[in-house]
Amino acid sequence: MAKLKITQVRSRIGSSKVQKATLDTLGLRKMHQSVEREGTPSVLGLVQAVRHLVTVEEVK
């Protein structure tokens, strides 16, 4: 599995409770915070749910 670097680039203000919970699950609490996660199907699903709030890069 590939490692992914997920960065929150937009504010969670105005987002639904579900989207806020998804960001919390990914480990993103603040703007411009980044986390590295394995590219598992469950993580990819979480990223897909908040794709308008985050950017995703593959880590080599």
Side-chain angles (χ1 to χ4, degrees):
M1 302 260 159
K3 292 279 272 184
L4 301 175
K5 180 179 178 184
I6 306 164
T7 306
Q8 183 178 347
V9 293
R10 294 198 53 201
S11 176
R12 64 175 45 209
I13 296 174
S15 299
S16 69
K17 286 184 179 182
V18 173
Q19 291 171 341
K20 290 177 184 179
T22 302
L23 289 172
D24 289 340
T25 302
L26 286 169
L28 297 170
R29 309 270 192 269
K30 299 178 181 180
M31 286 281 298
H32 306 290
Q33 181 181 5
S34 297
V35 293
E36 288 189 9
R37 298 281 182 253
E38 287 292 328
T40 62
S42 61
V43 170
L44 294 175
L46 291 170
V47 169
Q48 185 68 20
V50 291
R51 64 187 173 274
H52 58 289
L53 301 175
V54 299
T55 59
V56 181
E57 302 171 15
E58 188 173 346
V59 177
K60 303 258 177 180

